[in-house]
Amino acid sequence: MSQLPWWASESFWRKTAIWVTAGSFVVLIFLTLDSLSAISAGGKRVPAYAVINLLNLGMVGMVMAMLIAGYEQSQIERAIEGSSWAGYFVAQARPWFVQGITWRQVFGGMFAAGFVLLVWDMLTIGRSETRPALAHAEPAVA
């Protein structure tokens, strides 16, 4: 019984990872294109596209970086090194894992900058408003 089952083979999980990543990317593109028609630019009360772009690209970048680093780590740590402590440390030193963690930090900074800009925008809404407030009519008493 030297042959591994098909679901435990390295090639099966490599192909599965590629197909899942490609499928997720295609779904993300379709969802993005679908939501573009629902988004309309507002006036000065709507946050600038830079804020939303920083938040969205930062989050997508972090997710993709962790996805790549996770595939690399699980492949090396569990499949090749046998899920041992030595495998854990070997996986942490691999270039794809290190690059994934570095890109996660870069995109995390992008997301944090977008979040700070969004909070600033929310705190300063209405400060430059010059229109008078509308007077509300009192309800009639019967």
Side-chain angles (χ1 to χ4, degrees):
M1 185 143 171
S2 62
Q3 186 175 1
L4 289 173
W6 63 271
W7 50 267
S9 68
E10 180 181 340
S11 65
F12 169 75
W13 288 108
R14 184 182 313 121
K15 292 173 187 174
T16 302
I18 291 169
W19 279 106
V20 167
T21 303
S24 299
F25 181 72
V26 169
V27 168
L28 180 65
I29 295 297
F30 280 124
L31 289 175
T32 301
L33 294 176
D34 181 55
S35 65
L36 284 177
S37 62
I39 298 172
S40 61
K44 64 182 182 178
R45 293 179 180 217
V46 175
Y49 283 129
V51 172
I52 302 300
N53 286 342
L54 284 173
L55 287 169
N56 288 340
L57 292 176
M59 182 57 70
V60 169
M62 285 190 296
V63 168
M64 293 307 291
M66 289 304 293
L67 181 72
I68 292 169
Y71 281 158
E72 172 73 12
Q73 182 185 18
S74 64
Q75 178 66 26
I76 299 298
E77 181 181 333
R78 295 185 184 124
I80 295 176
E81 294 291 329
S83 194
S84 63
W85 277 108
Y88 172 78
F89 290 111
V90 167
Q92 301 293 314
R94 299 284 295 193
W96 280 67
F97 180 81
V98 173
Q99 288 175 5
I101 298 302
T102 302
W103 281 110
R104 180 190 68 161
Q105 189 162 2
V106 168
F107 284 114
M110 182 186 295
F111 181 84
F115 182 74
V116 167
L117 289 174
L118 180 66
V119 169
W120 176 259
D121 185 60
M122 296 299 235
L123 292 175
T124 59
I125 285 178
R127 284 196 179 171
S128 62
E129 185 64 49
T130 57
R131 296 180 296 176
L134 295 175
H136 295 287
E138 292 294 322
V141 177

